[in-house]
Amino acid sequence: MRSSSPPSPSRPDTLYKSTSLEDGPTTPYPEVDFKASRTDLSRHEPTSFPARAWRKVVSTDFVEGHGVAPLAESQRTDAKFIQNFTLWLTMNATIACFSTGTLGPVLYGLSLRDSSLIIALVNIFSCGIPSYVACFGPKLGARTMLVARYSYGYYGSMLPALLNLVSFIGFCAVNSIVAGQVLVAVNPGELSTTTGIVIVAVISMVISFFGYRVLHACERWAWIPICISFVLLAGFGGRHLGAATSFNVGASTKGGILSFISIIVGFTLSWSGCSADFNSYMRPDVSKTKVFILTFAGLYLPACLLQIQGAAFAAAALSGLVPTWEEAYNAGSVGGLVGVALEPLHGFGKFLLVLFALGMISNNAPTTYAFSLSIQIVFPFLTRVPRFFFAIVCTAIYLPIAVVGASEFEAALSNFLGLIGGWSSIFVAVLLAEHFIFRRFSFTSGYDLSIWDRSSKLPPGIAALFASFCGAALYIVGMDQVWFRGPIAKLITGPDEHYGGDVGFETGMAVAAIVYIPSRWLEKRLLGR
């Protein structure tokens, strides 16, 4: 997808074209060449074979070099809106989503009933917010962290973008660990977890290297075999799932319930930091309602169903009524549990395990893609570097982290999801308060994209940073993590409980929104932007 006019030689990313959308009056959109950020290789004809091969790779339309700069309307021509559903369905129909559900019974002793109710209800909230943020993609042609500049400012937006990078690294590491564990269950003793992690990481890197087109092409159909695999897992594991109702038939603790809520929120709400990244090439005339519904369905259905399935398998394994499941879980975590559940299928069961493991690529590849965009907000000078280079950087960072973290998976997953849920809630509180109150719900007249890289024209970001730090302070006093337990969490559970009661994301999100509104009003009055 190339712009109809050649970019200006003096400034290739700021040739403007006016357009009118359904949400507001005429607005300038920057006309950006899809390949404008690539290195100009036309000046020197390569002579060596590697140089010629590299030039061929970066010149093809299947390799997206365009980075975080806004996309012109002429570039936003993708009309396959159903991809808002299939992409998110494929990204979340993974064994990692299944693993998140297991934490209710495993870490907090919650019954299957209580775990299922929390999963079903909380995901409505935590999937709804990233679904709305996804609407920024087609309407503005802007990536999520670029939109953050219109509340956090040019320099202030580096903070949420940096936290976004940390989240992406953590997610990729956790996903790779789960995939490695599942691959080990295929041939125990013959394949190490480390080898499985490397396999998934390398394939994910290759897909994200190519970018938008290849990413959507892979995700469009990958959900079908994975979803069939989960149906077969439920069918052949169902003979023992009745035991799940015998686990913790007593009352669940309020501390455990609140902490599990924070984990469920962390899994899906964290997509808010990149949900507009995956549909920014779509046509801007698509209805916001359509984008929201398709994205929400793609997020909610796998998150709800697979997390409940994970909770049921974990509760059955911990009930004491299925010794083989309990032994397999203790020996091989989620991979071992899934492996023993599929044993009746023999060789076909091992094939399904391979599908589950490779299914993690559908989550890691888009996450790596989003990393390559957010890093250009943290380090603006990197906008001159082709986007695909950062897919390699991301993989090089999270790969050793995954190898090291594989030994303490449950604790690592719990702490990671709790932490990213906290920062994500603060970020969306500021982003949406700006959008709803100060930009009056408008995706067009509210955002002047001609100033996307001009710090003197964008908001100063003082109000956003002040609100974020206030929200972070309240998040800390309400959090419950291995390394720190806040006083509010202790107050909720009482002196006899040593864990639970995590209300960090609730307190952080509420305080950030409450503080931001008057602070932003004052900032606009004093500084005029």
Side-chain angles (χ1 to χ4, degrees), residues 450-467:
S450 67
I451 64 171
W452 73 275
D453 60 347
R454 303 170 71 178
S455 59
S456 61
K457 300 292 185 180
L458 289 164
I462 299 172
L465 290 175
F466 177 65

Side-chain angles (χ1 to χ4, degrees), residues 185-512:
V186 176
N187 286 306
E190 297 185 15
L191 182 71
S192 67
T193 303
T194 299
T195 303
I197 290 172
V198 171
I199 292 172
V200 171
V202 170
I203 299 176
S204 301
M205 180 188 69
V206 171
I207 295 175
S208 64
F209 178 91
F210 285 99
Y212 183 91
R213 290 187 181 180
V214 173
L215 185 67
H216 275 283
C218 293
E219 305 280 316
R220 193 174 305 143
W221 307 108
W223 62 272
I224 297 176
I226 301 300
C227 288
I228 292 174
S229 300
F230 275 111
V231 171
L232 292 174
L233 174 63
F236 284 90
R239 66 192 189 282
H240 293 311
L241 290 183
T245 58
S246 301
F247 175 72
N248 190 11
V249 293
S252 300
T253 65
K254 57 184 178 183
I257 290 173
L258 290 170
S259 292
F260 188 52
I261 287 174
S262 71
I263 288 175
I264 298 302
V265 168
F267 186 84
T268 44
L269 185 66
S270 56
W271 287 120
S272 301
C274 63
S275 56
D277 295 5
F278 307 119
N279 59 7
S280 54
Y281 282 94
M282 291 184 178
R283 280 170 38 187
D285 57 354
V286 61
S287 164
K288 298 186 296 291
T289 302
K290 187 173 186 178
V291 173
F292 177 85
I293 292 175
L294 289 172
T295 304
F296 181 82
L299 269 168
Y300 183 82
L301 289 176
C304 180
L305 296 177
L306 297 187
Q307 286 171 3
I308 290 176
Q309 186 178 4
F313 272 71
L318 299 177
S319 66
L321 301 178
V322 191
T324 55
W325 281 25
E326 184 175 10
E327 181 182 350
Y329 184 82
N330 292 334
S333 192
V334 173
L337 177 59
V338 173
V340 74
L342 293 175
E343 275 185 353
L345 292 175
H346 303 293
F348 186 65
K350 293 184 180 294
F351 171 72
L352 294 181
L353 287 175
V354 174
L355 285 181
F356 283 134
L358 296 181
M360 295 308 306
I361 296 169
S362 65
N363 193 293
N364 267 17
T367 305
T368 305
Y369 174 81
F371 176 97
S372 67
L373 298 170
S374 288
I375 196 172
Q376 295 182 343
I377 295 292
V378 180
F379 306 106
F381 63 89
L382 293 179
T383 55
R384 300 168 182 254
V385 181
R387 177 212 58 81
F388 50 75
F389 173 76
F390 302 111
I392 303 172
V393 174
C394 178
T395 306
I397 296 174
Y398 80 75
L399 191 54
I401 295 175
V403 172
V404 173
S407 58
E408 297 291 338
F409 173 68
E410 285 83 4
L413 178 60
S414 172
N415 292 325
F416 168 67
L417 292 179
L419 287 172
I420 65 171
W423 95 258
S424 298
S425 64
I426 293 170
F427 168 71
V428 295
V430 172
L431 185 79
L432 296 182
E434 174 72 25
H435 179 68
F436 293 147
I437 297 174
F438 298 101
R439 301 189 186 269
R440 303 183 182 279
F441 290 81
S442 176
F443 287 96
T444 54
S445 61
Y447 297 86
D448 180 4
L449 294 183
S450 67
I451 64 171
W452 73 275
D453 60 347
R454 303 170 71 178
S455 59
S456 61
K457 300 292 185 180
L458 289 164
I462 299 172
L465 290 175
F466 177 65
S468 296
F469 288 136
C470 290
L474 267 293
Y475 168 74
I476 291 172
V477 298
M479 70 189 301
D480 172 45
Q481 302 295 330
V482 171
W483 48 275
F484 181 77
R485 190 156 182 251
I488 296 180
K490 294 178 182 178
L491 185 65
I492 290 173
T493 57
D496 298 330
E497 296 288 340
H498 300 290
Y499 69 93
D502 192 328
V503 291
F505 97 85
E506 295 97 332
T507 55
M509 187 175 192
V511 169

Side-chain angles (χ1 to χ4, degrees), residues 66-134:
H66 186 84
V68 76
L71 290 154
E73 184 183 4
S74 61
Q75 295 173 273
R76 286 145 51 206
T77 58
D78 187 357
K80 298 174 182 175
F81 303 127
I82 191 64
Q83 292 178 154
N84 285 289
F85 172 73
T86 57
L87 176 78
W88 290 102
L89 174 63
T90 308
M91 286 168 60
N92 290 278
T94 63
I95 204 70
C97 189
F98 178 95
S99 299
T100 302
T102 66
L103 298 179
V106 171
L107 286 185
Y108 302 110
L110 299 180
S111 66
L112 176 59
R113 183 201 65 178
D114 292 344
S115 297
S116 300
L117 285 174
I118 291 170
I119 291 168
L121 296 177
V122 173
N123 271 310
I124 296 175
F125 164 79
S126 59
C127 294
I129 291 181
S131 299
Y132 187 83
V133 174

